[in-house]
Amino acid sequence: MRNQGRKLEAPHRRLEPGSRLLERGVVLGYRVVAWVVAHVPPSLPRFLIARGAQVSYLLWPSKRRFSNANFAHVLGLPPGDRRVRWAAMAAYGEYARYVVEMMRLPHLPPEAAAGLIPNTDLDAVEPIWNGAEGGLIFTLGHIGNPEAIAPAIASRGWPTNVLADDSAFPELFALFRKQRERWGVRVIPWRNLREIYGVLRRREMLGLLIDWGYRDDGIPVRMFGAWTTLPAGPATLAAKTRSRILPVAIRRREDGRTFHAEPFEAFDVPSSSPADLLAATQRIADCLERAIAEVPEQWYSFKPMWPATPEEGAALERRAAEMAASRTPVTITEAAAAAALAATESALAGAEAMGAAAAMPVEVGPPEPA
């Protein structure tokens, strides 16, 4: 891995823990706001959060720059093009819809939460899972509502697990974990490597979000014609545990309330060689690109997804060539796996922490628009 001196941490967590009083204030504030959101027509909080997010895009230069750069890549247009700006504004509106759904979702009965994705969308998953030697790793992007698939899968009795950051606000994490367990979804702290390995070695399912933003210590991939990186976590875990990777897109249906889950082609990672990890991560990137290209207005990853300079892109291309030429399997130590997972948290705790961030002037977790 690159940047070995970097402190091991989740990619978008608060760098310093807050006081106990602040943590309790966040939890209380979140509970109050979530209760209100769950008991008023969803159009009202969605409108308010959308307008607030769009105003922040207009008034905050870094937010605007990051979002415009991302959608310029996706649309193949200059960052200053008005179509890029409109796409970014639409994404902030979709983000607001997502925040409201995340706050309302825990108040739904398990059968209602499971019904957000039709059962027929998941019929293809079971034979893929049964054919895996290890577990099944879902890779998803911030498209539509990636959390909707978890209760739908768990409703079938399948062992469903997700990762979340418990290090910034432990009490908020405990609340989210309790809410998810009502659906049969198990939330694992991202640093608990023993349990993550155990889940996959027991042939269970694990969900990972992958579009947290560009990090120079990720695995080089090409997306929308340009070099960037994606986290090493999915490919590293799959190689270590002989698990199968299944990229999935969760897109909002025309009714605005339910979702379509589209599984892409599942695959195994033959070994831990740099070439195999590179190839596997590129396949994940190809699926993510296809998912975003189909509904760019439903994609709301607001961290910069590509490097800022051509020099960084050229360095990634060189590193990819080096990895492609290296076919000797490497030993995946716990430290290496931990470093890979540092950029591969799930949204389950972070997604609702977004809602707390929308309600309180503190940064409580991913994925907050940056």
Side-chain angles (χ1 to χ4, degrees):
M1 304 293 294
R2 296 172 69 84
N3 292 348
Q4 295 292 335
R6 176 181 294 180
K7 180 181 177 181
L8 180 60
E9 61 193 23
H12 306 305
R13 60 160 294 195
R14 297 169 69 245
L15 297 182
E16 297 295 335
S19 69
R20 184 77 167 172
L21 183 62
L22 174 62
E23 181 177 345
R24 288 186 172 179
V26 168
V27 174
L28 177 60
Y30 177 80
R31 285 181 179 271
V32 170
V33 173
W35 187 91
V36 172
V37 168
H39 290 84
V40 301
S43 58
L44 177 59
R46 189 165 62 232
F47 174 83
L48 294 175
I49 295 173
R51 298 296 84 77
Q54 289 168 341
V55 167
S56 74
Y57 163 82
L58 294 172
L59 298 182
W60 198 330
S62 63
K63 288 180 183 284
R64 191 167 59 251
R65 184 173 66 254
F66 294 156
S67 296
N68 288 355
N70 284 348
F71 282 100
H73 280 285
V74 170
L75 301 178
L77 296 169
D81 192 286
R82 63 180 180 83
R83 289 167 290 182
V84 169
R85 295 194 297 271
W86 279 113
M89 290 283 282
Y92 276 89
E94 183 68 18
Y95 165 81
R97 184 185 292 267
Y98 178 43
V99 170
V100 171
E101 288 170 347
M102 291 306 96
M103 293 184 133
R104 294 173 66 90
L105 205 53
H107 298 271
L108 296 178
E111 60 276 11
L116 293 175
I117 292 179
N119 272 332
T120 53
D121 283 12
L122 300 177
D123 287 344
V125 172
E126 188 163 19
I128 294 171
W129 178 35
N130 289 338
E133 182 178 341
L136 186 62
I137 299 172
F138 295 98
T139 60
L140 307 96
H142 292 89
I143 302 167
N145 186 334
E147 189 168 346
I149 193 172
I153 288 176
S155 70
R156 293 189 170 212
W158 298 342
T160 308
N161 305 270
V162 295
L163 299 188
D165 178 18
D166 64 329
S167 54
F169 286 91
E171 289 190 15
L172 196 60
F173 172 84
L175 172 64
F176 297 155
R177 170 184 265 181
K178 182 177 179 180
Q179 290 173 339
R180 295 325 183 270
E181 286 175 350
R182 289 178 54 233
W183 308 332
V185 177
R186 186 161 174 244
V187 183
I188 303 173
W190 73 274
R191 292 176 296 183
N192 190 344
L193 289 178
R194 183 183 298 276
E195 186 53 33
I196 294 167
Y197 282 135
V199 158
L200 295 174
R201 285 170 176 154
R202 293 193 299 269
R203 301 193 64 253
E204 297 181 10
M205 298 179 177
L206 180 67
L208 299 173
L209 276 169
I210 55 173
D211 55 344
W212 287 113
Y214 167 69
R215 289 170 60 106
D216 63 3
D217 57 353
I219 293 184
V221 295
R222 283 186 66 83
M223 282 182 55
F224 292 98
W227 284 99
T228 184
T229 63
L230 286 183
T236 302
L237 285 174
K240 178 80 171 178
T241 63
R242 311 304 298 167
S243 295
R244 182 163 290 176
I245 294 176
L246 178 60
V248 179
I250 311 296
R251 302 188 183 98
R252 189 178 303 279
R253 292 177 178 268
E254 291 183 0
D255 62 14
R257 296 179 293 103
T258 60
F259 301 88
H260 169 56
E262 179 184 357
F264 294 98
E265 184 178 356
F267 61 93
D268 301 315
V269 183
S271 79
S272 60
S273 72
D276 284 338
L277 297 181
L278 176 72
T281 307
Q282 183 61 60
R283 290 185 69 169
I284 294 171
D286 292 342
C287 293
L288 178 61
E289 178 179 328
R290 288 166 56 191
I292 295 170
E294 179 133 348
V295 284
E297 72 281 0
Q298 292 190 28
W299 181 51
Y300 44 88
S301 182
F302 298 110
K303 302 291 180 181
M305 282 294 296
W306 284 268
T309 66
E311 290 76 17
E312 290 176 279
L316 292 175
E317 184 174 13
R318 290 192 297 272
R319 184 148 63 90
E322 294 170 1
M323 292 182 69
S326 180
R327 299 195 168 275
T328 303
V330 297
T331 300
I332 300 175
T333 64
E334 284 203 0
L341 285 170
T344 319
E345 299 166 277
S346 170
L348 286 204
E352 291 206 28
M354 278 193 307
M360 303 188 65
V362 293
E363 182 183 351
V364 296
E368 181 199 2

